[in-house]
Amino acid sequence: MLFNSYFFIFLFLPTVLLGFHLIGNQGYHRAAIVWLVGASLFFYGWWNSAYLILIIFSILFNFSVGISLSNTFGHKLSKKAILTFGVSTNLVLLGYYKYANFFIDNLNVLSDSNLILTKVILPLAISFFTFQQIAYLVDAYRGQAREYSFLYYCLFVTFFPQLIAGPIVHHKEMLPQFAKAVLYKLRSKDLAIGVTIFALGLFKKVVLADGVSIYSSPVFDAAEAGVILTFFEAWIGALAYTFQLYFDFSGYSDMAIGIARMFGIRLPLNFNSPYKASSIIDFWRRWHITLSRFLRDYLYIPLGGSRKGKVRRYINLMVTMVLGGLWHGAGWTFIIWGMLHGFYLVINHTWRAVFTNRHNTALYTFFSWALTFVSVVISWVLFRSDSINSASSMLSSMFVLHGISLPKSFEGVFNNVALIHFKDWFKYDGIFSNGLLTDTSYIVFLWIIILLFLSVFLPNTQEFMHNHRPDVRDCKIIATKSRKKYLEWKENIIWSIIIAFLLVISILHISKDSEFLYFQF
């Protein structure tokens, strides 16, 4: 079931929301939780009911391990053994479903063998609910989390707004909110804020992300098919995917945060304008914040972080980013993508260590932003490509190794008398050519400019809603206040009309099932 579907918007969500508040408002809080857990399992099983067996097993297993960790008062080694067993079992389960085929395929290539494994279908959201429960086990081991109610633990894992693609939440961030009696009463303010954030996320997904996807997918598909792309086509495809991915995933996160807020629940931030970042370090503080937080707290810091010297720090960064890349998918393109970002971070940290007296002039800031943005765009080519060969072909075209040309439709620009000689020169040297995006060149450029403006110059959703606390405030990343007061949401008729207009436009754009890109991870 997709957030961006008529069934979800007009039937599932209103039914679950009203049922939860009607039951809870009568004082039957536990029954309301049962209703919400049941609805969440129905939501998850909508794609494939067989998935329910796996997630229920995962819940039962991790709840049992968590209880054992909370009740173990003996030697520290016994708790550590329980934790190791719990985390290892989760990773083995994740590894089998996500990486078994990848491992067998590579083993066959290296050993010239012919091992066959029945195709393993990746269960929906396994990466997200596995990481969330690993975090819970580690927190339970550290004495930072404890849950004796199986019902509430089920809610922690299955809460449908964030079940499929995050944000990855901590036990202490969500469960205490359900203990508040006021939560079970439908409040107009929470509903208004939730609908507003949901509407913004839906607009990002169905209008912006899906709108620009028609310019990215053909380019990457052509590269995979062996087509040699032009310089223009490669960069347009890469830029289109750069914005498609951001507005798709941040749109999902906004919708998740908005839906949760309708229930009175605040989820943590997942995005904070990553394309405004002026360094790769800054980028990873803004992109997929809850995953970055998980990798930092449960991998980078336990490996030693920055406490054991610069060389060890850089090794820890590389290991963390490579494993972060592998988390996204079983493929060498994801591994290389992680290595590339690890390399970026090592360079960034080295630069900061050497040039401690940097002058943050406007020119320096712009150059830093441009270099960061281009570096991220290049990395997304690896992230999106289906194979190393197609990624290599795309990058070769982007770096002019396949020559340079402009689309045929741009030839009309040179019909101006003043440019007649340049027009002849371009024609003679074959600068103009027919290609994938020939008939839509101007539209493509317009899309790129608009999406760049929206993601770099306008306030993000959290800044837009700053005065109404859209996120969990004990999350270490807190949205800054928008400098543009007129772009801050207020509870008035004008903003109600604007949000209603965006919502109607978005709903009219729901023409087909369009999955969120992060569903595949």
Side-chain angles (χ1 to χ4, degrees):
M1 192 184 310
L2 298 169
F3 288 169
N4 53 319
S5 66
Y6 294 123
F7 181 82
F8 178 87
I9 294 172
F10 293 111
L11 186 59
F12 180 82
L13 179 58
T15 301
V16 176
L17 183 65
L18 289 175
F20 175 78
H21 288 298
L22 285 173
I23 297 170
N25 196 40
Q26 300 300 315
Y28 304 114
H29 296 175
R30 194 171 183 83
I33 297 299
V34 172
W35 167 262
L36 193 51
V37 170
S40 296
L41 289 173
F42 174 82
F43 174 83
Y44 184 75
W46 180 265
W47 281 276
N48 189 339
S49 58
Y51 293 156
L52 288 171
I53 299 173
L54 177 64
I55 195 171
I56 290 172
F57 167 79
S58 179
I59 290 170
L60 287 168
F61 173 79
N62 285 288
F63 177 73
S64 301
V65 174
I67 289 290
S68 299
L69 288 169
S70 299
N71 291 337
T72 301
F73 301 103
H75 198 275
K76 188 176 181 180
L77 285 176
S78 61
K79 290 187 68 173
K80 195 166 187 178
I82 294 172
L83 175 65
T84 302
F85 171 68
V87 172
S88 299
T89 302
N90 277 285
L91 292 178
V92 167
L93 196 65
L94 178 63
Y96 170 73
Y97 280 103
K98 197 163 186 176
Y99 306 108
N101 290 123
F102 175 69
F103 176 77
I104 293 297
D105 290 344
N106 282 276
L107 184 63
N108 286 336
V109 171
L110 292 173
S111 62
D112 197 27
S113 57
N114 192 29
L115 298 175
I116 299 175
L117 179 68
T118 304
K119 187 70 175 178
V120 179
I121 305 300
L122 182 65
L124 195 66
I126 188 172
S127 296
F128 285 93
F129 69 68
T130 299
F131 269 33
Q132 187 159 309
Q133 293 186 97
I134 288 176
Y136 168 74
L137 295 183
V138 176
D139 289 346
Y141 170 78
R142 294 170 177 172
Q144 298 172 353
R146 182 175 297 179
E147 182 56 67
Y148 294 110
S149 169
F150 179 68
L151 177 62
Y152 277 84
Y153 185 79
C154 288
L155 179 63
F156 162 65
V157 177
T158 66
F159 187 46
F160 76 89
Q162 51 79 224
L163 170 61
I164 306 301
I168 301 171
V169 299
H170 286 276
H171 181 275
K172 63 182 179 181
E173 288 176 332
M174 188 173 72
L175 265 296
Q177 297 184 60
F178 281 96
K180 300 175 182 177
V182 69
L183 180 77
Y184 298 89
K185 296 180 179 179
L186 183 61
R187 293 183 290 181
S188 59
K189 184 172 183 178
D190 281 338
L191 189 60
I193 294 171
V195 169
T196 297
I197 298 174
F198 178 85
L200 293 173
L202 184 63
F203 184 83
K204 284 182 179 181
K205 165 60 180 171
V206 302
V207 177
L208 302 181
D210 289 351
V212 78
S213 68
I214 62 174
Y215 306 111
S216 65
S217 297
V219 173
F220 282 93
D221 291 344
E224 181 63 24
V227 175
I228 300 300
L229 302 167
T230 66
F231 171 82
F232 167 81
E233 290 165 347
W235 271 103
I236 285 299
L239 286 168
Y241 180 72
T242 295
F243 293 114
Q244 178 195 358
L245 181 64
Y246 169 63
F247 285 106
D248 187 283
F249 194 21
S250 70
Y252 176 92
S253 297
D254 283 351
M255 293 166 79
I257 290 171
I259 295 166
R261 188 57 181 268
M262 295 180 203
F263 289 89
I265 298 296
R266 291 182 172 91
L267 296 179
L269 286 178
N270 224 7
F271 288 91
N272 190 18
S273 297
Y275 294 156
K276 293 178 183 178
S278 57
S279 69
I280 291 295
I281 295 172
D282 188 27
F283 173 80
W284 279 106
R285 289 171 179 162
R286 295 168 174 267
W287 178 274
H288 205 344
I289 294 168
T290 56
L291 176 62
S292 298
R293 180 179 61 173
F294 178 92
L295 293 174
R296 180 197 65 205
D297 293 346
Y298 302 101
L299 184 57
Y300 175 70
I301 292 177
L303 285 172
S306 59
R307 302 187 305 274
K308 298 185 178 182
K310 290 183 179 179
V311 174
R312 180 64 180 273
R313 178 191 197 182
Y314 296 153
I315 292 174
N316 293 340
L317 279 173
M318 288 296 298
V319 170
T320 300
M321 294 311 298
V322 168
L323 291 177
L326 192 59
W327 175 87
H328 282 87
W332 284 105
T333 52
F334 291 110
I335 294 173
I336 297 172
W337 173 79
M339 291 175 61
L340 182 60
H341 269 280
F343 180 66
Y344 285 165
L345 287 169
V346 169
I347 293 176
N348 200 169
H349 281 287
T350 303
W351 174 272
R352 289 190 174 186
V354 174
F355 299 97
T356 55
N357 296 319
R358 302 184 305 275
H359 299 289
N360 291 324
T361 62
L363 182 60
Y364 179 87
T365 301
F366 173 77
F367 178 77
S368 299
W369 169 82
L371 180 61
T372 301
F373 182 74
V374 171
S375 299
V376 169
V377 172
I378 291 170
S379 72
W380 286 142
V381 173
L382 286 160
F383 192 84
R384 170 61 178 82
S385 297
D386 294 326
S387 66
I388 294 176
N389 287 337
S390 62
S392 176
S393 179
M394 277 278 294
L395 292 171
S396 296
S397 296
M398 291 169 69
F399 286 101
V400 205
L401 297 183
H402 293 155
I404 185 169
S405 63
L406 294 174
K408 194 76 172 177
S409 57
F410 269 57
E411 190 175 11
V413 175
F414 293 84
N415 284 331
N416 186 293
V417 175
L419 299 177
I420 188 68
H421 297 296
F422 291 101
K423 173 189 172 186
D424 293 338
W425 182 83
F426 279 129
K427 270 188 169 182
Y428 178 79
D429 286 275
I431 296 296
F432 295 108
S433 66
N434 289 307
L436 296 173
L437 306 172
T438 298
D439 298 327
T440 56
S441 304
Y442 297 122
I443 300 175
V444 173
F445 272 109
L446 187 61
W447 265 105
I448 298 300
I449 292 170
I450 290 173
L451 296 181
L452 180 66
F453 176 79
L454 291 175
S455 57
V456 174
F457 296 102
L458 288 187
N460 58 42
T461 304
Q462 288 72 37
E463 292 169 334
F464 177 64
M465 303 294 296
H466 176 83
N467 291 327
H468 303 277
R469 292 189 58 202
D471 56 283
V472 175
R473 289 293 148 143
D474 57 357
C475 181
K476 293 181 180 179
I477 305 296
I478 299 177
T480 56
K481 201 170 185 177
S482 173
R483 296 179 182 177
K484 301 176 177 63
K485 297 288 185 183
Y486 58 89
L487 288 178
E488 288 185 2
W489 183 80
K490 299 177 180 61
E491 297 174 86
N492 58 37
I493 189 65
I494 295 176
W495 277 112
S496 297
I497 294 172
I498 293 172
I499 296 301
F501 175 75
L502 291 179
L503 191 57
V504 169
I505 292 296
S506 301
I507 290 173
L508 291 176
H509 274 76
I510 300 175
S511 56
K512 61 178 181 178
D513 289 341
S514 173
E515 285 195 357
F516 293 87
L517 295 178
Y518 258 71
F519 277 21
Q520 63 185 296
F521 306 132

